[in-house]
Amino acid sequence: MGEYKKHWWGLIITLIIAFILLGWGGFEIYRTTPPIPDKFVDSSGQTLITKQDILDGQSAWQSTGGMQLGSVYGHGAYQAPDWTADWLHRELVAWLNIKAQADYGKAFDELTSIEKMGLQQQIKEEYRGSSMGSDNTVVLSDTRIAAINQVAPYYIDLYGDTPELASSRESFAMKNNTLPDLTARQNLAHFYFWTAWTSSANRPGTVATYTNNWPHEPLIDNVPTAENVMWSIASVVFLLAGIGLLIWGWAFLHKQEEDDIKLTVPKQDPLSLIELTPSQKALAKYAFLVVALFVVQIFLGGFVAHYTIEGQDFYGIPVSDFIPYSLARTWHIQSALFWIATAFLAIGLFVTPIIHGGKDPKYQKLGVDLLWVALIIVVVGSYIGQYLAIAHIMPAHLNFWFGHQGYEFIDLGRFWQILKWVGVLFWLVLMLRGVMAGFKGEGDKNLLFIFVASVVCVGLFYGSGLFYGEHTPIAIMEYWRWWVVHLWVEGFFEVFATVSIAFIFYNLGLVSKRIATGSSIASAALFLLGGVPGTFHHLYFTGTTTPIMAIGASFSALEVVPLIVLGYEGYEHWSMQRHAKWMERLKWPVLCFVAVAFWNMLGAGVFGFMINPPISLFYLQGLNTTPVHAHAALFGVYGFLALGFVLLIVRYLRPEYRFSDKLMKTGFWGLNLGLLLMIFTSLLPIGIYQAYASITEGLWYARSEGFLQQDFLETLRWVRTFGDVVFIIGGVSIALQVVKLVFGQSPKHPKHDTPITD
């Protein structure tokens, strides 16, 4: 530890506290997950719905793309309804009308205010009091059974090809006959009913539902709980306190280190003086794979966005029978995860020989080549499996393993998921073979140790996504899913990226080893303090209890704190261009790192906290405010970071070439401007308009066909085309630059550090 003893102890204590909270929260979720009753029965004891019916319905839902077609508990896609909120509202309206006819002989809307109040009190008592008995059975009233029987055919027909609902399918971007098998559609309806039951029945011993009263539904007083309001206020207090302490500490503790003042920037790029190893040269194909998947992803993104206007066509061409919305959105998200992860793997493999003394470990190039082939197999294999699953060509019992898991961001079948983890573990082995040699030399090893620790965490923690199965309860599945999506990506990948940048800048001679080491360890502690227990802010309304909400709200607010100083980090990266003339060669990778700082502040910080407090997410979960945060944070942060890594790699693979300023200006500013246009001219205005509808009427209305198909909102979705086109032009320009560098012919006698125009 040496002079970094305080840094290390701060990080160790942070990790101990954070994982104790995350582990205890997991135990609490397992203990209190909403039950799936053995059966739902009528007053005479006759079985209506069994547990197996619900589990089979869960499988049927997964086979349609699951979260990629509408959402459940607010998690998923945004064009079709949230099926939980939609079923609940339809069933409540049916119950009120059936009861009004039985008691008063007329429709509910025709009743007097006093008569309505009486029925509303009855429905609230019945639905909130619908508890499971000691025999794991729930008894349903005759009125509720009649309401269910009235609602279920709508979903059965919607997922089929009934002509009467063709317009609705188009509005929801559903293909005809989304789920061909009638029994599967019936079980799907049972699954949606169960999610609505958990959202309307009080958790035993409390006055709130299993989902903490989510979704907002005035008919049964599904409104924010007192705890929701209290922890929302607390999260704002913690945020302000964290910012205050950070600024206080920054002002008093931040100082220019003596060795940084004395630092002399090299006259030549130190890395350009190192002869590239065979494994480093082999990374050219990684760079090509990254930009190839990037181009596929952005074109799919434009395709998916157009589906929100023409639900089954692409400018009049019927395409939904071949590449339906759910499949296109699946590939769009999976492509993003694949190309970003590939770029991160590549930068690790690029750094490894540098740590290993400028040479490859034995058979390193072979390992790099094999890993690239494995990546291709996983990408192509998982995409084919997802197509076969959603087209219902694949047998239903194979879907979860080889087709589509149905869970956003981890959509690939379990077999491909395992194969992907094997690939990540193989990368870990390739990394460790090289970096462990670095510990044998003289000098301070703290920077190397934090780098190795981040590599190990990246390699191991993806495996947490294997701890749930096909029929795992949603609350438990969400716990493990967010271990991957939040903890692995936003936690350990962020630490790995931070340490990698620090390590590269140290080897370039731009920062001292002391600064690089201290900032890496401190940044890791700051990111993980809020990031690890902050995982729970995704789980407020998935069937968890108040303590989960408390931990999630409190610590996720702290995630925003380190993002406040990212403007300074962006300036630091920008100013590095002026440290030496040769830094001009690295202008565009450095600008990508500047963009990362900006989008981290805006996308992860501002837009992240916008939907972070429980009171906010209660109304905003499942609205277009979520993709505002998702696009700005996922591409703005990790996308630009990945592109920066790739540009850095190809810069050294082709030192004899300059970047084309025309291509890079078009690419860099096109991506930034396109993303801003996408957010501020379309996604955010739609999200704000939806938020008002959700607050005043309920989530069911904000996601309904009648609301989203208004001319005003359709125009806003058309407007997004301008931002998408600008973004695509930017993306293609960056990709073209990388391709030109990867496949460009080298001059016979290249001169290092001598600019040669491409």
Side-chain angles (χ1 to χ4, degrees), residues 465-484:
L466 303 175
F467 283 97
Y468 66 85
E470 180 177 357
H471 291 147
T472 298
I474 298 293
I476 295 173
M477 177 281 300
E478 288 285 21
Y479 174 69
W480 292 114
R481 182 171 78 98
W482 288 106
W483 267 63
V484 175

Side-chain angles (χ1 to χ4, degrees), residues 613-632:
I615 188 69
S616 175
L617 197 59
F618 181 85
Y619 294 108
L620 300 184
Q621 181 154 299
L623 305 184
N624 274 271
T625 45
T626 302
V628 167
H629 163 61
H631 283 79

Side-chain angles (χ1 to χ4, degrees), residues 395-418:
H397 67 279
L398 298 178
N399 173 69
F400 184 82
W401 275 91
F402 299 98
H404 201 302
Q405 288 192 37
Y407 300 127
E408 193 176 28
F409 297 109
I410 313 182
D411 303 273
L412 67 173
R414 176 55 55 88
F415 172 79
W416 304 111
Q417 185 186 7
I418 292 172

Side-chain angles (χ1 to χ4, degrees), residues 648-722:
L648 195 68
I649 291 171
V650 297
R651 170 71 279 160
Y652 288 108
L653 291 177
R654 293 288 185 268
E656 65 274 13
Y657 287 117
R658 277 183 178 273
F659 287 118
S660 165
D661 272 347
K662 182 177 181 181
L663 281 176
M664 291 308 300
K665 284 180 180 178
T666 302
F668 179 80
W669 294 112
L671 290 174
N672 279 283
L673 180 60
L675 189 55
L676 286 170
L677 288 173
M678 188 190 308
I679 291 170
F680 287 102
T681 66
S682 183
L683 288 175
L684 187 57
I686 293 173
I688 292 172
Y689 199 58
Q690 280 185 299
Y692 182 81
S694 177
I695 293 168
T696 56
E697 300 290 337
L699 177 65
W700 69 271
Y701 179 63
R703 290 279 298 277
S704 67
E705 179 181 7
F707 181 84
L708 284 176
Q709 296 307 312
Q710 295 178 79
D711 292 341
F712 166 65
L713 292 180
E714 186 167 325
T715 299
L716 284 177
R717 292 197 291 275
W718 269 113
V719 168
R720 177 177 167 173
T721 304
F722 295 105

Side-chain angles (χ1 to χ4, degrees), residues 567-585:
Y568 179 81
E569 180 184 318
Y571 170 76
E572 289 276 280
H573 289 163
W574 170 257
S575 65
M576 286 179 179
Q577 298 177 78
R578 301 192 296 268
H579 286 188
K581 189 175 181 180
W582 55 263
M583 274 297 294
E584 177 66 21
R585 290 172 167 275

Side-chain angles (χ1 to χ4, degrees), residues 622-645:
L623 305 184
N624 274 271
T625 45
T626 302
V628 167
H629 163 61
H631 283 79
L634 182 58
F635 177 78
V637 179
Y638 297 100
F640 270 117
L641 193 57
L643 291 177
F645 285 154

Side-chain angles (χ1 to χ4, degrees), residues 23-186:
W24 178 86
F27 174 79
E28 174 72 1
I29 290 171
Y30 269 84
R31 186 182 68 85
T32 62
T33 188
I36 302 179
D38 288 341
K39 53 187 176 180
F40 289 86
V41 300
D42 62 15
S43 56
S44 66
Q46 182 178 348
T47 300
L48 304 170
I49 301 171
T50 66
K51 181 176 183 177
Q52 191 59 49
D53 292 336
I54 295 167
L55 295 177
D56 289 344
Q58 183 179 2
S59 296
W61 169 69
Q62 292 164 347
S63 73
T64 65
M67 291 181 178
Q68 301 295 358
L69 184 63
S71 59
V72 166
Y73 292 143
H75 290 287
Y78 311 100
Q79 185 64 13
D82 178 85
W83 305 116
T84 304
D86 190 68
W87 178 291
L88 178 60
H89 184 75
R90 287 177 183 275
E91 186 185 322
L92 293 174
V93 171
W95 189 100
L96 288 170
N97 280 317
I98 291 168
K99 191 68 172 173
Q101 284 290 347
D103 291 357
Y104 301 103
K106 49 188 175 182
F108 178 77
D109 288 341
E110 298 173 359
L111 300 181
T112 65
S113 297
I114 294 177
E115 291 170 339
K116 287 181 178 179
M117 288 175 61
L119 290 186
Q120 286 172 334
Q121 183 61 31
Q122 288 183 50
I123 195 172
K124 178 183 174 181
E125 290 177 358
E126 177 174 333
Y127 276 71
R128 288 302 195 95
S130 181
S131 59
M132 185 175 71
S134 58
D135 58 350
N136 294 333
T137 297
V138 176
V139 179
L140 302 176
S141 70
D142 291 342
T143 304
R144 187 165 190 179
I145 294 169
I148 293 169
N149 290 335
Q150 192 176 110
V151 169
Y154 167 78
Y155 295 92
I156 294 170
D157 292 343
L158 181 67
Y159 276 80
D161 56 4
T162 304
E164 290 78 12
L165 292 176
S167 176
S168 294
R169 282 191 288 274
E170 183 177 355
S171 297
F172 299 154
M174 298 174 66
K175 68 173 184 176
N176 292 321
N177 231 12
T178 298
L179 190 58
D181 185 74
L182 175 59
T183 301
R185 297 203 300 270
Q186 292 169 337

